[in-house]
Amino acid sequence: MDLGIAGKWALVGGASKGLGWGCARALALEGVHVVMVARGEQALQASVARLRAEVGDKVQVLGVPTDITTAEGRQAIWDATHAPGKDYDIVVTNAGGPPAGDFREWTRETWVQALDANMLTPIELIKSTVDGMAARGFGRIVNITSAAVKAPYESLGLSNGARAGLTGFVAGLARQPRLASCNVTINNLLPGPFDTDRLRSNTTAVAERAGQTFEALWEQRRLSNPTRRFGDPAEFGAACAFLCSVHAGYMTGQNVMLDGGAYPGTF
């Protein structure tokens, strides 16, 4: 299927590895020019080089090592495109989730950091881009949130709260006729257990607290999924690319779960 987005410009957060990398790669393979953002410069530049080698010189792949939770960091990504201002056609918001733990140990500053990364920064990116998208008659925003929005994890209270806040905000915004009628869609992708560094680090932390080995808990988690496996970031990227395509213009304000069927609800 031709997704019809070749030549568009996309911003992808957390793009040096994991789910962000999967999305950046899928879009670039569709001919989308990609601005990849991550905090770690070394890992990001390695990923940029890897993607350039795969897609060749017909697609522009740029790397911006910056912290987009800051105003200065966001300015760096506005300055990175081929065009003046904030002319991204596609924005994929993505930030590593806050640490697991007991809410009794979290301070107000802990909460503010979680909200900045997983709620307020995506809102700032949306605010800066949607009106330009509407004026041009095309826009796709995909927020990578978490399956925890629908099925919260006890130890991930910071993530549960911040991502649920973003989800509520998007639910109202995506349905505004001034955006939806101008072919601007805003959707959320809710990943379950994907084989990423994030899942491995969380599993390590839980195993240590429970007095288990990483290997034992990892295998337990794998077998607990109906598919008996973890997700591949490449298949997550493919789902993201479809939501960004011309074929998804009638799909907005949705929370799309990719969790191997782990969520037990009917709705």
Side-chain angles (χ1 to χ4, degrees):
M1 179 186 290
D2 180 1
L3 298 188
I5 50 178
K8 302 291 188 184
W9 277 85
L11 169 69
V12 183
S16 63
K17 60 181 72 173
L19 302 181
W21 159 258
C23 294
R25 178 176 179 271
L27 290 169
L29 289 174
E30 291 295 327
V32 176
H33 306 301
V34 178
V35 177
M36 301 169 63
V37 181
R39 294 182 184 181
E41 182 171 6
Q42 184 174 358
L44 177 62
Q45 296 306 338
S47 295
V48 167
R50 177 183 170 194
L51 188 52
R52 284 175 177 166
E54 186 171 7
V55 300
D57 58 8
K58 292 184 179 180
V59 173
Q60 294 190 53
V61 180
L62 308 177
V64 182
T66 190
D67 180 358
I68 58 173
T69 66
T70 68
E72 296 79 10
R74 288 189 291 276
Q75 187 59 48
I77 60 176
W78 307 142
D79 293 341
T81 53
H82 66 303
K86 304 160 184 177
D87 295 337
Y88 287 97
D89 306 295
I90 295 166
V91 174
V92 180
T93 75
N94 178 38
D102 186 332
F103 82 97
R104 297 167 184 83
E105 301 170 356
W106 299 331
T107 65
R108 184 178 186 280
E109 183 58 30
T110 307
W111 275 106
V112 169
Q113 289 176 355
L115 291 169
D116 266 343
N118 298 119
M119 179 182 173
L120 299 179
T121 292
I123 290 173
E124 285 291 332
L125 296 176
I126 293 168
K127 176 183 175 182
S128 297
T129 55
V130 287
D131 290 337
M133 292 174 175
R136 295 188 299 275
F138 180 90
R140 299 288 186 265
I141 293 175
V142 177
N143 303 298
I144 301 177
T145 62
S146 170
V149 170
K150 292 191 70 172
Y153 299 107
E154 178 183 353
S155 63
L156 296 180
L158 291 168
S159 181
N160 297 339
R163 296 189 194 280
L166 175 63
T167 302
F169 170 79
V170 166
L173 179 66
R175 292 169 172 83
Q176 287 187 0
R178 62 185 292 185
L179 297 179
S181 69
C182 293
N183 194 25
V184 177
T185 68
I186 311 175
N187 293 291
N188 306 314
L189 275 178
L190 284 57
F194 278 76
D195 190 352
T196 62
D197 289 350
R198 166 74 172 170
L199 182 62
R200 288 179 177 273
S201 64
N202 280 346
T203 301
T204 298
V206 173
E208 290 175 351
R209 289 198 300 270
Q212 295 180 262
T213 66
F214 168 85
E215 291 75 16
L217 186 56
W218 187 257
E219 184 68 358
Q220 178 184 326
R221 288 188 165 186
R222 180 184 71 81
L223 294 175
S224 69
N225 191 276
T227 64
R228 300 296 187 266
R229 69 178 178 89
F230 296 108
D232 184 334
E235 58 192 333
F236 187 90
C240 179
F242 174 77
L243 286 179
C244 296
S245 75
V246 297
H247 308 295
Y250 205 56
M251 186 174 184
T252 194
Q254 301 304 304
N255 293 290
V256 182
M257 292 192 73
L258 289 86
D259 69 345
Y263 176 67
T266 302
F267 301 105

